Structures are given as C-alpha cells and as structure tokens.
C-alpha cells in the first residue's frame, strides 16, 4: 500500500475516538504494576476481559496498527499507533497482552519467524486468542542470557527440551512461550543456542507459582521434562539463537516505546505516577506541607520528562535517526524513575509507610511498593545490563572483559551443570 492510500492520521483518530467512547469502559489512572489485591479467580476474569477487549479492537480494525495486513494487522504507521494511544487515555485496554506478548514475542515472530509461524500465531495474538511469555531467565542467572542451560536435543523431526526457566510473569494463565535453549555444548556459549515456540500447557511443562513479599503470585518457574517440540516450531537457524536473542532483547528494551504496543498515553511505566503521589498526599492529610508539594512536583516532572523522552526515543528509532541500542536509555530511565516514584510516595506517607490500616486509602500500598521498588530496575533485563549496552554500543567504550568468550560451553566452569 502506498502512503497516499493509507488512512489519514486525523481521520483514523476520529474513528478510534468514536469507537472507544462507544465500546470501552472509562477507568481511573492506570498503572502497570505488580501490586495485587486480586484473587486468582479475579485475575482470570481480568485476563478474560483483556482477551475480549483485544478481540473487540481487532473486529473494529484497531488492533496491530503497525503490523502488515497479511498477518491480520492494519499496516499503518507509528503516528497512527500514537493517535490510538492518545485516544485510549482514560479507558480500559488489553494490558496483559502488551508486554511481553506484543513486544518482544510478536516482534520476534515478525522479524525472525517463518511465514507459516507468522500466519499461524500473529492473527491469533491480535484477536486475543494467544498470550505469549518469555522463557528466557534461568535459575542459574538471568543477565547472562547466553549462559542458558536448558537443553534441546534433536530427535528426528522433533526436539526434546529439558531444563528450567524462571521469573516468567503470568505464565500460569498464558498460552505460549518463546524459549531459548542450548543445542550445542561444544562451541562458545553464544554460538550454541536456538529459539523455540513452546505451548506453556504442553505435557512435560510444569508451571509453579512464586510468591513475592507483597503476596503477588504472578511470577512462575517452569520445569521442562522431555518436552517435545516439532522442528517447525524452531525460530531461526539451529545454533543461531543468539542472532534471534539480540533482536529479542532489543524489542524487550523497547517495552512501551514500541509501535507494536497499545498503551494509553499517560499510563505509568512502573507502578506510581504524579497523580498517585497526589492521592497519597491527600490521604495522608499533607497536601499543604511544602516539602510534600515539592515531592509531588518532582513526581510530575518525572512523568512529563518520561513521556517526552520515551516519545523521542521511539520516534528516533522508528525513523532510524537513532540506533536501536538507544532503547537502553529508555530502559534505564523507566527503572530509575519507577523506583524514585515509589520512594517519593513512601516519603509522603510518613509513618503510614511502615504501619497502615485497611482504611488508609492510597497509603496502604506505600510500604510494600517501597520494598518492591527495585523490580522496575530488574524486570526486562537489569538497568546495569542496559548501562553496559549504552557504554559499549551507544558510546563506543571498550567491551566488558569476559573469560568464557572463546571457550566451548561444555568446558566453562559453573556451579550447576546439565
Ligand atoms: C518484574 C520482573 C519481571 C520479569 N519477567 C520475566 C519474564 O517474563 N521472563 C523471564 O525470562 N525473566 C523475567 N524476569 C527476570 C529478569 O529478566 C532477571 O531477573 C534479570 O535479567 C536479572 O537476572 P538475575 O535475577 O538472574 O540476576 P543476575 O544476573 O544474577 O544479576 C545480579 C546483579 O548483578 C548485575 N550484573 C550481572 N551481570 C552483570 C554485568 N555483566 N555487568 C554489570 N552488572 C551485572 C545485575 O545487573 C544484577 O544487579 C523478570 C524480573 C522481574 C523483576
């Protein structure tokens, strides 16, 4: 389709606005948080509603804005996606389908999947029928992604996977995972990996929940025991998983900047915003306190700077005026700012940050949010790893020293072995 045939952004905006007002429920400020007061039953209802909203968007021609029409998308531009995000502000959206389903998982399928894999899965994702997870981190270490110990052994037209993945958010209610596995132990670690598509509820996949200190049980650990995956579910070439993996991590760092993701403008990355700081101050009876007013101002400034920085990075990467590695700057900002916002709320809450009662309104979350604040600096790859990317691949500084780069993975000393 030539650019003249593409729906004009303003016309698209009007169409989206009319449909949203007619079909979606208004909601208060939305936070993408790991805070949970919901029971499992309530969480499953919320997942079902997200699938339903995604299906409604699909039927209305508002899903997969930047995805080619042959895979069920709209074939439009990041500007159309931004218009949709703007119009969605204040309305419900399919939160659980954005990260990691649309990015990085769908983005990886689009970039590295076979034609059959794309046609099989991308329309199903756009309709809300498939929710995808990243099976990347392992108990032996998450940052050293190339050090994966989960093994895949060829058996005719199938592969047999064994090992364990961990910290998979939401695996218990999702459908598919992208799984990085080791297919060759006799070459250096980066050269012996392969990526597979894995149905999460396949025989041989055991999903166990992990409870965090705030009672949230979204994290899971998966144990893979002789799980059979057809070769047609392999992504990319055998032993070339690191090529897929570097693209995968780029899409992961893009997070909510990605033009593949539908997130209402103003939705907070992290779990707090200036409006939450305001609510905490109101419930604490400290709105008139000058120190508290400064903190609310700081939270507001972080919101504004964050929106603009992420927009600039997103535009720069989409128009190729910035390298893809610049996404690491957005990643660091999101992590540091989310942790700072939770610290701000904790400071405003005063004593209620340490001891609260059920009728304390917004104050009831400040203590546990403060204790959980580092998750924003870890999930989606740690900010230390993002800083390494900025130093080596954006600023061109010398590479980090590694001792295992040219050693066959089988011979690399490690605490646990296969
Ligand atoms: C909210 C959240 C959601 C997550 N969701 C998923 C998911 O869906 N799927 C999934 O697979 N994983 C997920 N994870 C796991 C996450 O990707 C890992 O926790 C992360 O990559 C760090 O790995 P690790 O915990 O093993 O820490 P380690 O790798 O052991 O790191 C420990 C510390 O050392 C630092 N460090 C390690 N190596 C270096 C280095 N080379 N240079 C500088 N510093 C270094 C780290 O930055 C960190 O501070 C999630 C984590 C969180 C918190």
């Amino acid at each position: 389709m030539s650019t003249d045939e593409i729906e004009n952004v303003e016309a698209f905006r009007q169409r989206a606005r009319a449909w949203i007002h007619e079909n979606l429920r208004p909601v208060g400020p939305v936070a993408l948080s790991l805070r949970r007061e919901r029971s499992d039953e309530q969480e499953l209802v919320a997942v079902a509603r997200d699938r339903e909203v995604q299906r409604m968007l699909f039927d209305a021609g508002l899903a997969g804005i930047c995805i080619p029409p042959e895979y069920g998308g709209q074939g439009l531009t990041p500007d159309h996606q931004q218009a949709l995000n703007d119009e969605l502000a204040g309305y419900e959206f399919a939160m659980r389908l954005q990260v990691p389903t649309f990015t990085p998982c769908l983005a990886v399928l689009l970039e590295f999947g076979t034609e059959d894999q794309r046609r099989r899965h991308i329309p199903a994702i756009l309709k809300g029928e498939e929710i995808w997870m990243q099976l990347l981190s392992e108990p032996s270490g998450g940052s050293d992604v190339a050090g994966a110990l989960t093994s895949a052994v060829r058996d005719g037209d199938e592969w047999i996977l064994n090992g364990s993945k961990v910290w998979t958010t939401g695996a218990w209610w999702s459908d598919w995972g992208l799984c990085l596995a080791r297919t060759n132990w006799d070459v250096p670690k980066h050269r012996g990996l392969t990526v597979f598509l894995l149905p999460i509820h396949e025989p041989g996949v055991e999903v166990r929940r992990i409870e965090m200190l705030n009672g949230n049980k979204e994290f899971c650990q998966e144990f893979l025991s002789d799980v059979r995956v057809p070769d047609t579910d392999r992504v990319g070439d055998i032993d070339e998983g690191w090529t897929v993996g570097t693209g995968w991590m780029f899409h992961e760092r893009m997070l909510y900047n990605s033009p593949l993701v539908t997130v209402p403008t103003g939705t907070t990355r992290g779990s707090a915003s200036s409006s939450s700081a305001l609510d905490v101050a109101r419930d604490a009876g400290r709105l008139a306190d000058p120190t508290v007013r400064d903190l609310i101002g700081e939270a507001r400034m972080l919101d504004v700077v964050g929106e603009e920085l992420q927009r600039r990075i997103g535009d720069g990467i989409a128009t190729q005026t910035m390298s893809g590695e610049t996404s690491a700057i957005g990643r660091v900002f999101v992590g540091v700012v989310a942790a700072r916002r939770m610290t701000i709320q904790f400071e405003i809450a005063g004593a209620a940050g340490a001891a609260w009662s059920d009728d304390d309104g917004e104050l009831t979350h400040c203590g546990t949010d403060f204790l959980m604040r580092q998750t924003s600096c870890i999930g989606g790859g740690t900010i230390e790893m993002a800083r390494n990317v900025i130093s080596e691949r954006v600023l061109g500084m010398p590479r980090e020293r590694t001792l295992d780069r040219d050693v066959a993975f089988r011979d690399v000393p490690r605490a646990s072995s296969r």
Side-chain angles (χ1 to χ4, degrees):
M1 194 186 274
S2 79
T3 38
D4 339 325
E5 292 168 66
I6 287 180
E7 184 178 5
N8 167 285
V9 176
E10 206 39 49
F12 171 83
R13 181 188 291 281
Q14 296 302 332
R15 174 164 75 85
R17 180 180 301 168
W19 185 86
I20 290 165
H21 288 207
E22 180 87 357
N23 293 284
L24 297 183
R25 300 171 188 159
V27 289
V30 181
L32 304 167
S33 84
L34 281 171
R35 189 196 279 173
R36 281 291 181 281
E37 296 83 31
R38 280 187 288 271
S39 64
D40 284 0
E41 291 69 28
Q42 288 167 326
E43 180 66 5
L44 291 177
V45 169
V47 173
R49 177 62 185 164
D50 277 8
R51 288 186 195 265
E52 194 180 359
V53 167
Q54 186 60 40
R55 177 72 209 210
M56 289 161 67
L57 286 166
F58 180 84
D59 291 341
L62 294 172
I65 302 302
C66 297
I67 290 168
E70 58 268 35
Y71 308 125
Q74 304 303 314
L76 297 172
T77 67
D79 287 344
H80 293 82
Q81 183 63 58
Q82 185 60 51
L84 178 62
N85 291 351
D86 290 345
E87 294 306 321
L88 273 172
Y91 287 86
E92 63 178 338
F93 71 108
M95 184 161 76
R96 290 163 192 75
L97 266 106
Q98 306 310 318
V99 176
T101 300
F102 280 91
T103 194
C105 296
L106 180 147
V108 168
L109 280 171
L110 200 56
E111 190 174 346
F112 299 100
T114 62
E115 192 58 16
D116 175 62
Q117 288 167 353
R118 291 181 194 154
R119 288 186 187 269
R120 214 162 12 118
H121 296 292
I122 296 180
I125 291 173
L126 294 182
K127 290 176 194 163
E129 291 165 2
E130 289 182 7
I131 300 184
W132 283 65
M133 294 292 144
Q134 307 182 69
L135 302 174
L136 202 56
S137 301
E138 299 200 357
S140 55
S143 297
D144 185 17
V145 176
L149 296 176
T150 293
S151 74
V153 175
R154 183 100 190 221
D155 181 25
D157 288 340
E158 292 184 324
W159 293 84
I160 303 172
L161 272 63
N162 280 286
S164 182
K165 296 287 176 178
V166 73
W167 308 126
T168 323
T169 326
W172 67 280
W173 44 251
S174 62
D175 309 298
W176 284 81
L178 268 186
C179 183
L180 182 76
R182 181 155 308 280
T183 40
N184 191 339
W185 297 75
D186 296 317
V187 289
K189 64 179 180 180
H190 294 92
R191 287 196 243 137
L193 298 162
T194 307
V195 174
F196 297 92
L197 313 180
L198 187 78
I200 290 189
H201 302 290
E202 187 80 343
V205 183
E206 185 195 344
V207 178
R208 277 192 219 159
R209 316 271 297 273
I210 302 170
E211 183 165 1
M212 291 192 288
L213 66 84
N214 65 353
N216 176 292
K217 285 203 229 161
E218 288 316 297
F219 279 122
C220 300
Q221 179 166 5
E222 299 78 31
F223 296 88
L224 313 183
S225 310
D226 292 334
V227 182
R228 289 190 165 265
V229 173
D231 189 51
T232 47
D233 280 351
R234 167 170 52 81
V235 183
D237 292 335
I238 298 169
D239 295 347
E240 293 296 328
W242 193 242
T243 308
V244 180
T246 43
W248 178 344
M249 279 172 272
F250 158 69
H251 292 297
E252 184 180 36
R253 281 194 298 274
M254 287 288 282
L255 277 172
Y256 302 102
N257 285 335
S258 169
L260 299 178
V261 162
T262 296
V263 176
T265 302
T267 303
T268 312
R269 290 89 167 168
S271 69
S273 69
S274 54
S275 53
S276 320
L278 203 60
D279 291 340
V280 170
R282 187 173 296 120
D283 289 353
R286 299 186 66 194
L287 272 178
D289 182 331
T291 316
V292 169
R293 293 171 86 93
D294 278 354
L295 289 170
I296 295 170
E298 184 187 343
R300 176 69 191 140
M301 180 270 295
L302 293 174
D303 286 350
V304 172
V305 173
E307 285 290 337
E308 290 310 313
L309 177 71
Q310 302 299 355
R311 195 188 301 257
R312 179 152 182 216
I313 293 172
D315 287 350
I317 293 173
T319 54
Q320 296 182 351
T321 51
M322 291 179 186
S323 82
E325 312 298 357
T326 323
S327 59
I329 297 173
R331 166 72 194 98
V332 172
F333 190 85
V334 166
V336 171
V337 163
R340 177 64 193 143
R341 281 203 192 99
M342 285 174 231
T343 306
I344 287 175
Q345 293 193 27
F346 182 71
E347 285 175 16
I348 296 174
W356 57 91
S357 63
D358 286 346
D359 56 3
D360 271 346
E362 282 301 303
L363 301 177
T364 52
H365 302 293
C366 296
T368 41
D369 280 358
F370 178 70
L371 293 175
M372 296 280 294
R373 68 195 183 286
Q374 287 302 335
T375 53
S376 63
C377 298
I378 301 171
T382 64
I383 59 168
E384 288 82 7
M385 298 309 282
R387 286 193 160 111
N388 286 350
V389 172
I390 295 168
S391 130
E392 294 173 13
R393 293 187 240 151
V394 178
L395 301 175
M397 291 168 79
R399 285 188 72 113
E400 180 180 20
R401 274 194 66 211
T402 50
L403 300 174
D404 55 4
R405 190 169 299 280
D406 297 318
V407 181
F409 190 68
R410 190 184 293 287
D411 299 328
V412 174
R414 55 186 167 268
S416 53
S417 61
R418 73 183 162 128

